[in-house]
Amino acid sequence: EATLDLAERRRIRSAIRELQRQELERDEETLASKRFRPERSSHRQDDKENWPQSCRVEEEQQEALTALSEQLKAITSVEELTKLLRAAGEYEERKLIRAAIRKLRAQEIE
C-alpha cells in the first residue's frame, strides 16, 4: 500500500534492504557449499561402474607411496633425494621426498 509518511517509507525500505541482504547471504552460503564439495564422493556417484577399479588404483598408489617411504628412510644423502625429487612425477611422491629432505637437513643442523 502507498503511504505518505516519510519515516515509515524509510523503515519499509530499510526492512526490504535487510531482507535482500539476508537472501544474498543465504545464496552465497549455498554456492560456497556447492563449490567446495569434495570431488571424490560426487565422482563415485557419477561413475559407479569404474568405482571398484578406481579403488584398486588408489590402493596401488598407496602401496607405492608406502614403498617409496621405506626407500627414502634408507637414503642418507640430500643429493640423492634431490635427484629423486626431480624425477618424481606425482605430487604425493614429491611431497614425501621433500619431507625426507627437510628431515635430513634438520638432522645435519643438529
Side-chain angles (χ1 to χ4, degrees), residues 79-94:
E79 290 80 23
E80 289 180 45
L81 289 173
T82 306
K83 288 178 188 176
L84 280 175
L85 179 63
R86 289 187 180 130
E90 295 292 320
Y91 169 76
E92 293 295 326
E93 291 175 1
R94 293 191 308 267

Side-chain angles (χ1 to χ4, degrees), residues 23-35:
E23 185 177 356
L24 280 173
E25 286 177 355
R26 281 193 305 271
D27 290 345
E28 288 173 354
E29 288 173 4
T30 303
L31 282 175
S33 68
K34 288 180 181 178
R35 189 176 306 136

Side-chain angles (χ1 to χ4, degrees), residues 5 13 18 34-35 37 40 58 94-95 98:
D5 186 15
R13 280 191 298 244
E18 180 63 25
K34 288 180 181 178
R35 189 176 306 136
R37 240 184 241 156
R40 288 188 178 191
E58 287 179 15
R94 293 191 308 267
K95 184 177 167 182
R98 283 193 297 270

Side-chain angles (χ1 to χ4, degrees), residues 9 33 38 41 55 60-61 63 66 81 87 98 100 105-106 108:
R9 284 184 177 184
S33 68
S41 61
C55 284
E60 290 172 359
Q61 288 174 344
E63 289 172 4
T66 304
L81 289 173
R98 283 193 297 270
R105 288 186 177 154
E108 288 176 359

Side-chain angles (χ1 to χ4, degrees), residues 1-86:
E1 291 182 33
T3 181
L4 299 177
D5 186 15
L6 294 178
E8 188 177 352
R9 284 184 177 184
R10 269 188 241 118
R11 285 194 306 271
I12 292 170
R13 280 191 298 244
S14 68
I16 290 172
R17 281 193 296 273
E18 180 63 25
L19 288 172
Q20 289 172 336
R21 185 188 62 76
Q22 289 174 356
E23 185 177 356
L24 280 173
E25 286 177 355
R26 281 193 305 271
D27 290 345
E28 288 173 354
E29 288 173 4
T30 303
L31 282 175
S33 68
K34 288 180 181 178
R35 189 176 306 136
F36 298 112
R37 240 184 241 156
E39 286 187 28
R40 288 188 178 191
S41 61
S42 64
H43 174 70
R44 287 181 180 165
Q45 290 172 353
D46 295 341
D47 197 7
K48 289 182 180 179
E49 290 180 5
N50 294 329
W51 187 68
Q53 181 182 0
S54 67
C55 284
R56 280 195 305 268
V57 170
E58 287 179 15
E59 288 173 4
E60 290 172 359
Q61 288 174 344
Q62 192 62 34
E63 289 172 4
L65 289 175
T66 304
L68 177 64
S69 178
E70 294 300 320
Q71 179 185 1
L72 292 176
K73 288 179 184 176
I75 298 175
T76 58
S77 169
V78 174
E79 290 80 23
E80 289 180 45
L81 289 173
T82 306
K83 288 178 188 176
L84 280 175
L85 179 63
R86 289 187 180 130

